[in-house]
Amino acid sequence: MAYDLITMGRIGVDLYPLQTGVPLPRVTSFGKFLGGSAANVAVAAARLGRRAAVITRTGDDPFGTYLHEALRGFGVDDRWVTPVPGLPTPVTFCEVFPPDDFPLYFYRQPKAPDLEIDAHEIDLDAVRDARVFWVTGTGLSEEPSRTATLAALAHRARAGTTVFDLDWRPMFWTDRDAARPFYAEALRHTTVAVGNLDEVEVATGVREPHAAARALLDAGVELAVVKQGPKGVLAVDREGTTAEVPPLPVDVLNGLGAGDAFGGCLVHGLLAGWEPEKTMRYANAAGAIVASRLECSSAMPTSDEIEAAVTAGAVG
């Protein structure tokens, strides 16, 4: 049976401080969580009842073992999560200064295993057959992951729904100009593009939301989703349908997992055949719920929690 969703990209261990408003040098205790955007999106979709798997790589170490156990615990198929001897599983620290300051510190040296995904090791038929395939910009930042990502997209040939999470992380690239040609190539194989204002600017050279959405559509996608921060989210499809949805009011504790929760619910809405406006409202609500919680993966909301937030018009 085909998967509802296969994601491909980053995985790691998030070590989040259990004290808020405290700088990292003075933090005394941390919580350990599964992290990485591709993994978290799969978790978010699985929490909503979708059959999900992730293609990625870890170190051959105890943290890698933890990530396998965590994925299985969340109901995500880990059959395509493989170890890379000699490279440590990545660890990410953050600082938590609500409502809008969450510095991230990536420990991905000398190289992250998830950038060692090789095109020859991918089950391309499973990728082609999945109802939704999700890739990220980080996966384009280095070889062999770059070639593997583009090969998977080309083999899929826009079958079903193919989502490109623009996922711009400047620390993984030399500069924006280096990223843009690879983003353009990925967009040729993509039906849905999703990103914030910085990310759409990297992909298109345009920052104004409506112009950026048009540029993404011109690049070949069928649905462009532009996250506008406090102004909410804009979605425009090829038929000209436009949905602009404000954010849900929420007391933010940690905003770092909100985008992944948004992504998982976006996938859920696409699979359910929802109109763009409903999909954006529910995805916004999912993101707001996770922003109200400390952790990311284990904070992903259920359908009932999202429905309650949408009905209430706020996260309680």
Side-chain angles (χ1 to χ4, degrees), residues 28-62:
T28 58
S29 57
F30 296 86
K32 178 169 87 321
F33 307 101
L34 178 147
S37 60
N40 277 338
V41 169
V43 169
R47 186 65 58 87
L48 297 174
R50 299 300 180 176
R51 185 170 185 245
V54 58
I55 300 169
T56 190
R57 306 197 73 182
T58 69
D60 189 9
D61 54 25

Short mmCIF file of all heavy atoms in Angstrom, two decimals, residues 28-62:
data_model
loop_
_atom_site.label_atom_id
_atom_site.label_comp_id
_atom_site.label_asym_id
_atom_site.label_seq_id
_atom_site.Cartn_x
_atom_site.Cartn_y
_atom_site.Cartn_z
N THR A 28 20.38 24.88 33.13
CA THR A 28 20.85 23.76 33.95
C THR A 28 20.23 22.42 33.57
O THR A 28 20.73 21.37 33.99
CB THR A 28 20.58 24.03 35.44
OG1 THR A 28 19.17 24.23 35.62
CG2 THR A 28 21.35 25.26 35.92
N SER A 29 19.15 22.43 32.79
CA SER A 29 18.52 21.16 32.42
C SER A 29 17.88 21.29 31.04
O SER A 29 17.40 22.37 30.66
CB SER A 29 17.48 20.73 33.46
OG SER A 29 16.49 21.73 33.62
N PHE A 30 17.88 20.18 30.33
CA PHE A 30 17.38 20.14 28.95
C PHE A 30 16.43 18.96 28.78
O PHE A 30 16.56 17.93 29.45
CB PHE A 30 18.54 19.98 27.96
CG PHE A 30 19.51 21.11 27.93
CD1 PHE A 30 20.57 21.15 28.83
CD2 PHE A 30 19.38 22.15 27.01
CE1 PHE A 30 21.48 22.19 28.81
CE2 PHE A 30 20.29 23.19 26.99
CZ PHE A 30 21.34 23.22 27.89
N GLY A 31 15.50 19.11 27.83
CA GLY A 31 14.68 17.99 27.38
C GLY A 31 15.18 17.51 26.04
O GLY A 31 15.63 18.30 25.21
N LYS A 32 15.12 16.21 25.81
CA LYS A 32 15.59 15.59 24.57
C LYS A 32 14.39 15.22 23.70
O LYS A 32 13.49 14.52 24.16
CB LYS A 32 16.43 14.36 24.90
CG LYS A 32 16.94 13.60 23.68
CD LYS A 32 17.98 12.56 24.10
CE LYS A 32 17.52 11.28 24.49
NZ LYS A 32 16.63 10.62 25.11
N PHE A 33 14.40 15.67 22.44
CA PHE A 33 13.27 15.43 21.54
C PHE A 33 13.78 15.09 20.14
O PHE A 33 14.85 15.53 19.73
CB PHE A 33 12.38 16.68 21.45
CG PHE A 33 11.94 17.21 22.77
CD1 PHE A 33 12.56 18.31 23.34
CD2 PHE A 33 10.90 16.61 23.47
CE1 PHE A 33 12.15 18.81 24.57
CE2 PHE A 33 10.48 17.10 24.70
CZ PHE A 33 11.11 18.19 25.25
N LEU A 34 12.99 14.33 19.40
CA LEU A 34 13.25 14.15 17.98
C LEU A 34 13.11 15.49 17.30
O LEU A 34 12.18 16.25 17.58
CB LEU A 34 12.27 13.13 17.40
CG LEU A 34 12.36 12.85 15.89
CD1 LEU A 34 12.00 11.40 15.62
CD2 LEU A 34 11.43 13.75 15.08
N GLY A 35 14.02 15.80 16.36
CA GLY A 35 13.96 17.06 15.65
C GLY A 35 14.31 16.90 14.18
O GLY A 35 14.54 15.79 13.69
N GLY A 36 14.36 18.02 13.49
CA GLY A 36 14.62 18.04 12.05
C GLY A 36 13.33 18.19 11.28
O GLY A 36 12.34 17.49 11.53
N SER A 37 13.31 19.12 10.32
CA SER A 37 12.05 19.49 9.68
C SER A 37 11.37 18.33 8.97
O SER A 37 10.15 18.13 9.10
CB SER A 37 12.28 20.65 8.70
OG SER A 37 13.20 20.27 7.70
N ALA A 38 12.13 17.54 8.20
CA ALA A 38 11.50 16.44 7.47
C ALA A 38 10.90 15.41 8.42
O ALA A 38 9.79 14.90 8.20
CB ALA A 38 12.52 15.77 6.55
N ALA A 39 11.61 15.12 9.50
CA ALA A 39 11.11 14.16 10.48
C ALA A 39 9.87 14.71 11.18
O ALA A 39 8.87 14.00 11.37
CB ALA A 39 12.19 13.83 11.49
N ASN A 40 9.91 15.98 11.56
CA ASN A 40 8.79 16.57 12.28
C ASN A 40 7.53 16.67 11.44
O ASN A 40 6.41 16.49 11.95
CB ASN A 40 9.16 17.95 12.81
CG ASN A 40 9.93 17.91 14.11
OD1 ASN A 40 9.87 16.93 14.84
ND2 ASN A 40 10.67 18.96 14.39
N VAL A 41 7.67 16.97 10.16
CA VAL A 41 6.50 17.02 9.27
C VAL A 41 5.86 15.64 9.18
O VAL A 41 4.63 15.50 9.21
CB VAL A 41 6.87 17.57 7.89
CG1 VAL A 41 5.73 17.37 6.89
CG2 VAL A 41 7.24 19.05 7.98
N ALA A 42 6.68 14.60 9.07
CA ALA A 42 6.14 13.23 9.04
C ALA A 42 5.42 12.91 10.34
O ALA A 42 4.34 12.29 10.33
CB ALA A 42 7.27 12.23 8.78
N VAL A 43 5.99 13.31 11.47
CA VAL A 43 5.34 13.08 12.76
C VAL A 43 4.00 13.81 12.82
O VAL A 43 2.99 13.25 13.27
CB VAL A 43 6.26 13.53 13.91
CG1 VAL A 43 5.50 13.56 15.24
CG2 VAL A 43 7.48 12.61 14.02
N ALA A 44 3.98 15.06 12.37
CA ALA A 44 2.75 15.86 12.42
C ALA A 44 1.65 15.21 11.58
O ALA A 44 0.48 15.16 11.99
CB ALA A 44 3.02 17.27 11.93
N ALA A 45 2.01 14.70 10.39
CA ALA A 45 1.01 14.05 9.55
C ALA A 45 0.55 12.73 10.16
O ALA A 45 -0.64 12.40 10.11
CB ALA A 45 1.59 13.82 8.15
N ALA A 46 1.48 11.98 10.75
CA ALA A 46 1.10 10.72 11.40
C ALA A 46 0.15 10.97 12.56
O ALA A 46 -0.78 10.19 12.78
CB ALA A 46 2.35 9.99 11.88
N ARG A 47 0.37 12.06 13.30
CA ARG A 47 -0.52 12.39 14.41
C ARG A 47 -1.95 12.65 13.92
O ARG A 47 -2.92 12.46 14.66
CB ARG A 47 0.04 13.63 15.14
CG ARG A 47 -0.68 14.02 16.42
CD ARG A 47 -0.59 13.00 17.53
NE ARG A 47 0.76 12.67 17.94
CZ ARG A 47 1.47 13.34 18.85
NH1 ARG A 47 0.98 14.41 19.43
NH2 ARG A 47 2.68 12.92 19.17
N LEU A 48 -2.06 13.05 12.65
CA LEU A 48 -3.38 13.31 12.05
C LEU A 48 -3.92 12.08 11.31
O LEU A 48 -4.88 12.19 10.56
CB LEU A 48 -3.29 14.51 11.12
CG LEU A 48 -2.91 15.82 11.81
CD1 LEU A 48 -2.70 16.94 10.79
CD2 LEU A 48 -3.97 16.24 12.83
N GLY A 49 -3.29 10.93 11.53
CA GLY A 49 -3.82 9.68 10.99
C GLY A 49 -3.28 9.27 9.64
O GLY A 49 -3.76 8.31 9.04
N ARG A 50 -2.24 9.97 9.17
CA ARG A 50 -1.69 9.67 7.85
C ARG A 50 -0.56 8.65 7.94
O ARG A 50 0.20 8.64 8.91
CB ARG A 50 -1.19 10.94 7.18
CG ARG A 50 -2.28 11.99 6.97
CD ARG A 50 -3.39 11.46 6.08
NE ARG A 50 -4.46 12.43 5.85
CZ ARG A 50 -5.50 12.22 5.05
NH1 ARG A 50 -5.61 11.06 4.40
NH2 ARG A 50 -6.42 13.15 4.89
N ARG A 51 -0.44 7.80 6.93
CA ARG A 51 0.63 6.80 6.87
C ARG A 51 1.87 7.49 6.32
O ARG A 51 1.92 7.85 5.14
CB ARG A 51 0.22 5.63 6.00
CG ARG A 51 1.24 4.49 5.98
CD ARG A 51 0.68 3.25 5.30
NE ARG A 51 1.65 2.14 5.41
CZ ARG A 51 2.26 1.59 4.36
NH1 ARG A 51 2.00 2.01 3.13
NH2 ARG A 51 3.13 0.61 4.54
N ALA A 52 2.87 7.66 7.18
CA ALA A 52 4.02 8.49 6.83
C ALA A 52 5.32 7.74 7.02
O ALA A 52 5.45 6.87 7.89
CB ALA A 52 4.02 9.77 7.69
N ALA A 53 6.30 8.10 6.21
CA ALA A 53 7.66 7.57 6.31
C ALA A 53 8.62 8.70 6.02
O ALA A 53 8.26 9.72 5.42
CB ALA A 53 7.88 6.42 5.33
N VAL A 54 9.88 8.52 6.45
CA VAL A 54 10.91 9.54 6.21
C VAL A 54 12.15 8.87 5.63
O VAL A 54 12.52 7.75 6.02
CB VAL A 54 11.23 10.32 7.51
CG1 VAL A 54 11.71 9.40 8.61
CG2 VAL A 54 12.25 11.43 7.24
N ILE A 55 12.75 9.54 4.66
CA ILE A 55 14.04 9.13 4.09
C ILE A 55 15.11 10.04 4.66
O ILE A 55 15.09 11.27 4.41
CB ILE A 55 14.04 9.23 2.55
CG1 ILE A 55 12.95 8.34 1.94
CG2 ILE A 55 15.40 8.87 1.98
CD1 ILE A 55 12.73 8.59 0.46
N THR A 56 16.02 9.49 5.44
CA THR A 56 17.07 10.31 6.04
C THR A 56 18.17 9.39 6.56
O THR A 56 18.09 8.16 6.40
CB THR A 56 16.50 11.22 7.14
OG1 THR A 56 17.50 12.17 7.54
CG2 THR A 56 16.04 10.43 8.35
N ARG A 57 19.20 9.98 7.19
CA ARG A 57 20.30 9.19 7.74
C ARG A 57 20.72 9.78 9.08
O ARG A 57 20.58 10.99 9.32
CB ARG A 57 21.48 9.16 6.77
CG ARG A 57 21.10 8.68 5.37
CD ARG A 57 22.30 8.26 4.55
NE ARG A 57 22.84 6.98 5.03
CZ ARG A 57 23.91 6.40 4.52
NH1 ARG A 57 24.57 6.97 3.52
NH2 ARG A 57 24.34 5.23 4.98
N THR A 58 21.21 8.92 9.94
CA THR A 58 21.69 9.31 11.27
C THR A 58 23.12 8.82 11.45
O THR A 58 23.67 8.13 10.59
CB THR A 58 20.82 8.68 12.37
OG1 THR A 58 21.07 7.25 12.39
CG2 THR A 58 19.35 8.93 12.15
N GLY A 59 23.72 9.16 12.58
CA GLY A 59 24.96 8.52 12.97
C GLY A 59 24.69 7.10 13.45
O GLY A 59 23.56 6.74 13.79
N ASP A 60 25.75 6.31 13.46
CA ASP A 60 25.67 4.95 14.00
C ASP A 60 26.04 5.02 15.48
O ASP A 60 27.12 4.60 15.91
CB ASP A 60 26.62 4.04 13.23
CG ASP A 60 26.44 2.57 13.59
OD1 ASP A 60 25.46 2.26 14.31
OD2 ASP A 60 27.26 1.75 13.16
N ASP A 61 25.14 5.61 16.26
CA ASP A 61 25.44 5.93 17.66
C ASP A 61 24.16 5.90 18.48
O ASP A 61 23.06 5.71 17.94
CB ASP A 61 26.13 7.31 17.75
CG ASP A 61 25.35 8.44 17.07
OD1 ASP A 61 24.11 8.31 16.95
OD2 ASP A 61 25.96 9.44 16.67
N PRO A 62 24.24 6.08 19.81
CA PRO A 62 23.04 5.99 20.64
C PRO A 62 21.97 7.03 20.29
O PRO A 62 20.77 6.74 20.39
CB PRO A 62 23.58 6.21 22.05
CG PRO A 62 24.99 5.70 22.00
CD PRO A 62 25.47 6.10 20.64
#
